[in-house]
Amino acid sequence: MIVPNKWGFPDLGLGVGLRTVHYDYILKKRPRVDWFEILSENYLDTDGRPMRILEQVAERYPVALHGVSLSIGSTDPLDFEYLKKLKRLAEKVQAHWLGDHVCWTGVAGRNGHDLLPVPLNEETLRHIVKRIRTVQDYLERPLILENASTYVTFANSTMPEQEFIARMAEEADCGLLLDVNNVYVSCRNHDWDPWAYLDGIPYHRVTQIHLAGHTDNGTHCIDTHNARVVDEVWKYYAEVHRRTGGRATLLEWDADIPAFPEVHAEVLKAKKFRREAMKRERAAR
Amino acid sequence: MSARRDKHDAGRKIRGAAPRRGRGSEAAPARIEGLVFAGHAGGLPKVESTRPRAPLRAGLEAVENWMQAVITNAGGLGDGERSADARRHIDRGAGTIEQVILPSRNQSSRERLQIYANAYFWRLIDILGEEYPTVRQTAGPRQFPRLAVEYLKAHPSRSYSLNFLSVKFPEFVRSGATRLPRREFLADIATVERSMEDVFDAPDVKPLTPKEWKRIPMSAWMSKRLRMTPAMRLLELRYPVNEYISDVREGRKVEFPRKAEQRLIIFRRNFSVWRAPLTPIRFKLLSALQSGATLPEAFAACAALKGFDAEKFTGALKEWFQGWASDGLFCGVE
């Protein structure tokens, strides 16, 4: 059964992460891309060229913000200076929504600039839920939080990640950004069942989907965002599409970035999987 | 003014996306000769087996502080695990890592945690290298990572933004906190490259237009102060690094220049960052104006310079000011 988005956030279609190497192409050629996701931190403290480019992009395309520094899982106090800038940026570019990750980036006043995993237990859940509520009150909009790809699990975790995420989203009343490549990477790394993971997601809260490539090192996978989306991840995507009927979909490509048309072509492959998923859904009714 | 367009404005690094995780196999120790900040090097205690122990009851705060202490220890996971910083939060003796981190079917607890340890240093070394490409090239592939790691140990990031990670790097290079050949030369290069970053991101303030210039009455010039663009830095350097930086960044063959003072202006025009050398008198005049002097005060500062030639100075003023105005250096009168 298709589950609509709780807040009525639109399916913006198939978008691409805005990257500097593509600035000139995008401004000159004005490609017919459905939407762009921008990395919030790249624009919070600059009033130079990146901001001018972003203003032009936001004039022509729908934009959503995606951050990496909220550190919602950290036990350090929330950084309201950061949130203030984030709120201002979201208003400036009229962002459709604001996202970040279920993770922490540092404690004791430090920042490692990495998306670090949290123990999945009741204490963490209570802590994160409280912070999400505070952030949402401050930003006056729901947060859209992404399942990060992780490389360790903790001895004091007591629940599966999908359960943690589902309860977090329900109790904090926040949205979800489901990264299907991260589902693949984390499940590979932790010997989890990806289909059970996907079964546990509350799809009425899923607002956006991420696609990306990764590096398979045999013993484990690394979320490198430097390659095409693998077939298995497309299967997950099709399944999520079947359940949601369509959510804003975004391809992340952050290393060894090819020319813009190639990146765009990769995300456009989603059309085929969307069509096939809906055919299956109709046939099942 | 002969301004030099720099490649710096051609693009902007993506900060924060998909943090880089190691090079090659994350399980392998990442080594820079003589420097270990990852892996099994550093004399890890051999953990024969995971003896059954009491379940881990550490709270979230303890786990996060412990993990940060372990993965950011430049001596590697073993040193991190044994460090007082980590043990203050979780200490279950030899094999604490195995008590906190679960293994997977294919990887041990240490191999898994190693992925984060590798990522921490390599990612930040990469960022420093992107911000200081000429320092990186000049210091070389052995020296630069060492310098970067020493810097990160002394000045770990304390901001949500990577923009601020390296603000103290030029000062650190100059300070002598780490052994470094050609220290002063590298410090000058770092100062320039940092200033280019600052100018690139500085607030965008509209420069005075020719119309606005004309509206300022002559009488006002004796008492008013010119407001300079925040996207400008004036640097006094011990080495002539300007050409050297351009040569390195553009891939030309370089020789280390001899010590000789150089004064530089770095500014932004049309969202591109430019650098140009300045004569001592032009540097003095702009510095005085930037620090809030009125025109008569700035002229007096110039007149105090050795070898000041009043006739030449007054003859050149118009051309200098026209050039600076067209470069957008002035943005108001107050």
Side-chain angles (χ1 to χ4, degrees), chain A residues 20 42 45-47 52 69 73 75 85 104 107 111-114 123 151 153 155-156 189-191 217, chain B residues 12 15 18 21 26 58-60 64 68 99-100 102 104-105 107 112 116 123 157 159-160 201 204 271:
Chain A
T20 48
N42 283 1
D45 294 288
T46 181
D47 204 11
R52 297 293 90 73
S69 296
T75 46
K85 290 180 181 179
W104 60 287
V107 277
N111 195 325
H113 302 284
D114 200 348
E123 184 207 1
Y151 308 95
T153 48
N156 62 343
N189 291 344
H190 309 317
D191 313 315
N217 288 351
Chain B
R12 186 70 168 151
R15 295 161 187 267
R21 302 191 184 281
E26 285 70 23
L60 180 61
E64 289 181 344
Q68 179 170 278
Q99 300 295 313
V100 180
L102 296 174
S104 69
R105 197 163 47 200
Q107 286 190 295
R112 304 179 89 196
Y116 289 103
R123 181 180 47 255
S157 176
S159 168
Y160 61 85
D201 288 323
D204 181 31
F271 300 109

Side-chain angles (χ1 to χ4, degrees), chain A residues 18-21 23-24 39 41-42 44-50 52 68-69 73-76 79 81-82 85 103-119 121 123-124 127-128 149-157 186 188-191 217-225 252 254 257, chain B residues 9-21 24-27 56-68 71-72 85 98-107 109 112-116 119-120 123-124 152 156-165 199-205 268 270-272:
Chain A
L18 181 64
R19 303 295 181 255
T20 48
V21 291
Y23 279 173
D24 289 342
L39 285 159
E41 287 76 9
N42 283 1
L44 293 182
D45 294 288
T46 181
D47 204 11
R49 184 170 181 259
R52 297 293 90 73
V68 289
S69 296
S74 171
T75 46
D76 269 7
D79 184 344
E81 187 55 32
Y82 167 75
K85 290 180 181 179
C103 73
W104 60 287
T105 61
V107 277
R110 290 177 55 176
N111 195 325
H113 302 284
D114 200 348
L115 310 174
L116 301 169
V118 288
N121 57 34
E123 184 207 1
T124 309
H127 176 72
I128 290 185
S149 51
T150 55
Y151 308 95
V152 298
T153 48
F154 295 93
N156 62 343
S157 286
S186 293
R188 271 284 306 275
N189 291 344
H190 309 317
D191 313 315
N217 288 351
T219 54
H220 61 289
C221 290
I222 302 284
D223 183 28
T224 43
H225 295 189
E252 294 179 295
D254 292 307
I257 307 176
Chain B
D9 56 18
R12 186 70 168 151
K13 66 185 77 60
I14 297 298
R15 295 161 187 267
R20 176 179 176 168
R21 302 191 184 281
S25 166
E26 285 70 23
L56 180 69
R57 298 208 188 281
L60 180 61
E61 190 175 358
V63 170
E64 289 181 344
N65 278 279
W66 173 85
M67 184 169 168
Q68 179 170 278
I71 65 174
T72 63
D85 195 12
E98 285 72 14
Q99 300 295 313
V100 180
I101 306 293
L102 296 174
S104 69
R105 197 163 47 200
N106 296 319
Q107 286 190 295
S109 303
R112 304 179 89 196
L113 196 57
Q114 187 67 64
I115 296 170
Y116 289 103
Y120 174 74
R123 181 180 47 255
L124 298 183
L152 293 169
S157 176
R158 295 192 175 278
S159 168
Y160 61 85
S161 172
L162 280 164
N163 279 14
F164 309 118
L165 172 69
V199 165
F200 183 86
D201 288 323
D204 181 31
V205 181
R268 194 175 74 201
N270 297 330
F271 300 109
S272 296

Side-chain angles (χ1 to χ4, degrees), chain B residues 38-49:
Chain B
H40 307 250
L44 292 189
K46 194 170 180 187
V47 182
E48 296 293 340
S49 65

Side-chain angles (χ1 to χ4, degrees), chain A residues 171-238:
Chain A
E171 290 172 31
D173 196 20
C174 71
L176 293 175
L177 190 171
L178 183 61
D179 187 319
V180 284
N181 178 58
N182 289 353
V183 170
Y184 179 90
V185 168
S186 293
C187 288
R188 271 284 306 275
N189 291 344
H190 309 317
D191 313 315
W192 295 341
D193 174 0
W195 297 103
Y197 193 112
L198 293 176
D199 274 345
I201 295 298
Y203 286 96
H204 64 292
R205 294 190 175 275
V206 173
T207 301
Q208 185 187 330
I209 299 167
H210 265 174
L211 294 164
H214 61 257
T215 302
D216 191 334
N217 288 351
T219 54
H220 61 289
C221 290
I222 302 284
D223 183 28
T224 43
H225 295 189
N226 67 341
R228 296 183 190 285
V229 180
V230 300
D231 291 348
E232 194 67 12
V233 170
W234 281 123
K235 280 188 203 163
Y236 303 164
Y237 177 74

Side-chain angles (χ1 to χ4, degrees), chain B residues 252-326:
Chain B
R252 290 192 288 269
K253 200 175 170 201
V254 287
E255 283 181 14
F256 298 123
R258 289 189 179 177
K259 196 169 185 177
E261 284 184 358
Q262 184 171 59
R263 291 162 189 81
L264 272 190
I265 181 171
I266 301 174
F267 65 101
R268 194 175 74 201
R269 189 176 62 193
N270 297 330
F271 300 109
S272 296
V273 176
W274 301 68
R275 299 190 315 268
L278 288 175
T279 58
I281 198 159
R282 287 197 297 167
F283 183 86
K284 177 62 86 179
L285 183 52
L286 280 172
S287 301
L289 293 173
Q290 191 185 37
S291 60
T294 60
L295 277 177
E297 287 165 347
F299 295 161
C302 293
L305 283 177
K306 205 175 159 187
F308 176 76
D309 181 332
E311 200 177 325
K312 258 179 147 177
F313 179 73
T314 47
L317 272 177
K318 189 179 174 189
E319 188 193 329
W320 291 351
F321 271 86
Q322 278 177 343
W324 292 335
S326 73

